[in-house]
Amino acid sequence: MSESTGAHGWQRVARLDPDRMADALHEHTGTRLTVEGRCPGGQVGTAYVRWPDGRRSVLKWRPGSRLSDLRAGPLAAAAALRAAGWPVPATELSAQVGPDVVLVQELLPGTPPERLGHAALDRVLELNDAQAGRLAGHPGIPATALHLRGDGPGYCLHGPLRASGRRGAALDAWITEVGAHAPDRLEGDDAVHHDFHPGNLLAGLGGEITGVVDWDGAGRGDRRFDLVTLRFGLHPDHAEPGVAERLDAVLDALPDDVLRPMWASMSLRMTDWAIRHFSPADADLWLDFAERRARTLS
């Protein structure tokens, strides 16, 4: 399945075709899963599937990926955290389907919270602390890339910012300047989720965190990057009153040389994505948010 082209000529990420992927998985593994429907949220998408014995799981699709790379990197990072008691789904089935990877993962209890609350933030900060040094015994897991000096694999593209107008070009120039004086991969042995936003958190009826999903981009580095990702994920209105301010205070305490490249990377990711997938008004909202802290970090 190829990427589609948006109104501005930029490529948009293709959506999962769950029935086609379930058929491909059956062809490659002999296991027939019944597709029950799409899971809510996400750009590429996931789907609920049922095993022959009645169990329910989640079907995922990673276009343009190699299963060997996922096993050596993101899946290994997730497994290390799962072994340490983290609420991470197990990978139950996987297959290389041409240039793509199809995964079936454990369905954890809970649903993404509509607005992150204070108790959930407390738990998130505890989990983030627990990511410290978790990959010290796994030297083969790659470090997390920031893409400050070059494009990422289908995201973190610099061209859309440069072509979007004066503000986008100025933000990209700042991002590139930050990249000229910072490593392009996170340093350290912490586990890094790399897409730690509220849509990838699961919560129970009482608001407690029951799971953290979508570890497909996980790697090693500095766990505090996930807190920067979470701050972008709370914008514009995905948190209860005072939660975003508490997280801002945590980020304010980080050294500038730590926060600057992390903020630059997330600014690139979110503004590029908005330009290619959403409306100009949405793109302006992300530019506003990215610029707000970028000005203080210049």
Side-chain angles (χ1 to χ4, degrees):
M1 181 181 296
S2 61
E3 293 180 331
S4 60
T5 302
H8 301 287
W10 299 110
Q11 286 187 323
R12 302 179 63 168
V13 174
R15 295 280 290 172
L16 166 71
D17 182 337
D19 292 315
R20 189 169 73 89
M21 289 300 106
D23 288 343
L25 197 61
H26 177 240
E27 179 182 347
H28 283 75
T29 68
T31 300
R32 170 58 73 183
L33 301 176
T34 302
V35 177
E36 295 190 331
R38 290 185 178 275
C39 304
Q43 294 297 315
V44 174
T46 54
Y48 296 115
V49 293
R50 189 177 294 277
W51 294 76
D53 64 5
R55 286 183 299 124
R56 299 179 73 221
S57 295
V58 175
L59 177 73
K60 306 189 68 178
W61 174 56
R62 292 284 297 179
S65 300
R66 294 194 304 175
L67 183 55
S68 59
D69 291 339
L70 289 178
R71 285 174 171 164
L75 296 183
L81 285 175
R82 180 178 168 81
W86 253 68
V88 176
T91 298
E92 301 169 323
L93 191 64
S94 59
Q96 186 78 48
V97 179
D100 308 331
V101 171
V102 183
L103 302 169
V104 179
Q105 293 185 334
E106 177 186 10
L107 176 61
L108 295 179
T111 57
E114 290 187 10
R115 304 181 81 198
L116 196 73
H118 287 274
L121 178 62
D122 290 340
R123 180 57 174 153
V124 163
L125 294 175
E126 291 174 0
L127 290 171
N128 189 259
D129 284 343
Q131 292 169 229
R134 287 295 178 188
L135 302 186
H138 304 270
I141 297 176
T144 300
L146 298 176
H147 307 297
L148 301 178
R149 296 189 289 272
D151 291 345
Y155 64 93
C156 284
L157 307 185
H158 291 255
L161 269 70
R162 292 194 294 265
S164 67
R166 177 187 57 80
R167 292 178 65 200
L171 180 62
D172 185 70
W174 176 74
I175 292 166
T176 304
E177 174 64 19
V178 171
H181 301 284
D184 204 42
R185 290 184 176 271
L186 293 176
E187 299 177 337
D189 289 322
D190 301 347
V192 179
H193 182 285
H194 198 235
D195 199 18
F196 198 81
H197 60 76
N200 285 331
L201 302 177
L202 301 177
L205 293 178
E208 72 280 6
I209 299 298
T210 58
V212 182
V213 299
D214 198 9
W215 290 84
D216 300 354
R220 73 171 57 252
D222 187 329
R223 69 191 187 284
R224 294 172 292 187
F225 182 79
D226 285 344
L227 299 181
V228 176
T229 305
L230 179 63
R231 183 61 186 92
F232 275 79
L234 297 183
H235 177 72
D237 188 29
H238 297 294
E240 293 180 0
V243 169
E245 290 77 9
R246 284 182 57 197
L247 187 53
D248 278 333
V250 173
L251 300 185
D252 289 341
L254 298 182
D256 281 358
D257 63 343
V258 171
L259 181 57
R260 189 181 293 111
M262 295 179 179
W263 192 267
S265 181
M266 282 306 302
S267 296
L268 173 63
R269 189 196 305 185
M270 298 307 298
T271 53
D272 157 54
W273 197 265
I275 290 166
R276 287 189 290 139
H277 294 82
F278 304 133
S279 70
D282 289 323
D284 284 341
L285 284 175
W286 283 110
L287 282 167
D288 290 342
F289 185 71
E291 290 171 344
R292 186 188 314 167
R293 191 177 284 270
R295 284 192 292 266
T296 68
L297 291 170
S298 298

